[in-house]
Amino acid sequence: MFVGLNNLEQGDLGESIARCWYELHGHVVFIPTGRSPDYDFVADDGERLIRVQVKTSGSVTPYGRWAVSICTRGGNQ
């Protein structure tokens, strides 16, 4: 799905897909101005506000499953 995209394009596409999912499930989505380090968007389900941070992966295992590693690396510690 994310093959051939650079990291910024992959992240933007992942965020768009996540926003669409929330909207299709009846949430109102709010996008912050600029880049937020804490969340990518806020979803409102009518009862509560949900801060959403989207993560994407371009790695697939030999078994055809998505491979993810959730950890801090590099300068964003």
Side-chain angles (χ1 to χ4, degrees), residues 6-65:
N6 66 41
N7 288 343
L8 184 59
E9 293 169 331
Q10 177 177 318
D12 288 345
L13 181 58
E15 287 179 31
S16 294
I17 292 169
R19 285 194 306 266
C20 287
W21 186 92
Y22 276 95
E23 289 172 348
L24 286 171
H25 287 85
H27 293 75
V28 176
V29 173
F30 300 94
I31 303 169
T33 302
R35 299 271 180 192
S36 170
D38 300 322
Y39 54 88
D40 295 314
F41 60 89
V42 175
D44 181 355
D45 68 359
E47 295 181 12
R48 61 190 173 129
L49 299 176
I50 305 163
R51 290 180 291 187
V52 179
Q53 188 175 47
V54 178
K55 301 297 179 190
T56 62
S57 176
S59 300
V60 180
T61 68
Y63 305 104
R65 298 182 182 185

